[in-house]
Amino acid sequence: HITAVSGSNFATFVTVLVAAGAWGGWRRRAPWLVLVVVAIWAYAVFTGLQPPGVRAAVVASLAVVAVRVGRRPDVVTLLALAGGAMAVV
């Protein structure tokens, strides 16, 4: 089940990483957030880069960027952007 591709698994993974960053005092520090994004994409590669996994990785990465710039991530907008970008590609 750990390699199942779903947005729920990515959300859990990102929540754990962001919570660890908040606990360690690194929540909005750029090196930590870069590490989180790298971990997200490593997990996406580990699960086979299937379309649902890529979409979830794009949404999670953009949500991390939103946190970095001090914005609240809007998941519906991020899903629309990710889906549109994947359709174009």
Side-chain angles (χ1 to χ4, degrees):
H1 179 70
I2 199 162
T3 61
V5 180
S6 74
S8 176
N9 287 6
F10 274 87
T12 303
F13 187 58
V14 171
T15 300
V16 168
L17 291 174
V18 171
W23 180 75
W26 315 306
R27 182 172 178 213
R28 289 193 180 176
R29 297 199 180 167
W32 173 252
L33 295 178
V34 168
L35 180 66
V36 169
V37 170
V38 168
I40 290 167
W41 283 98
Y43 184 68
V45 169
F46 178 68
T47 59
L49 282 179
Q50 298 171 6
V54 171
R55 184 182 60 243
V58 168
V59 170
S61 298
L62 292 174
V64 168
V65 170
V67 168
R68 171 67 181 142
V69 298
R71 302 277 311 229
R72 183 174 171 226
D74 181 23
V75 179
V76 174
T77 302
L78 293 177
L79 280 169
L81 287 171
M86 289 177 67
V88 168
V89 171

